[in-house]
Amino acid sequence: MSSPVGSHQLTDKEKRVILDAIAFLEHYYFNAKMQQESGLNKTDYEKLALINSIKAKWALGIELDS
């Protein structure tokens, strides 16, 4: 198994792929789940917070800790 890679080692193209995957999850998982009566649970909110943190840091040019 390979070791984790810090985001400073990712190319812009690789980051774009990750951001596209995040957008897919937001649309097809979180938006669909929000439409359900039960809505999002605590874990879902934690995942969304992590996603938003990653997007905000990369938008500001801040690399993620490995």
Side-chain angles (χ1 to χ4, degrees):
M1 180 171 219
S2 62
S3 61
V5 173
S7 67
H8 63 282
Q9 296 173 303
L10 297 174
T11 66
D12 287 341
K13 187 174 182 179
E14 290 168 327
K15 287 180 182 178
R16 183 75 252 159
V17 169
I18 292 169
L19 291 171
D20 287 346
I22 287 172
F24 180 85
L25 282 172
E26 287 177 318
H27 181 74
Y28 288 102
Y29 177 78
F30 292 109
N31 287 345
K33 200 158 182 193
M34 282 188 249
Q35 301 300 319
Q36 296 174 359
E37 188 175 321
S38 60
L40 300 175
N41 60 36
K42 182 181 177 190
T43 304
D44 292 329
Y45 283 111
E46 291 169 352
K47 290 174 188 172
L48 279 173
L50 177 61
I51 286 170
N52 289 331
S53 173
I54 291 169
K55 292 190 314 188
K57 284 181 179 181
W58 281 355
L60 294 170
I62 300 169
E63 298 300 331
L64 306 175
D65 298 328
S66 44

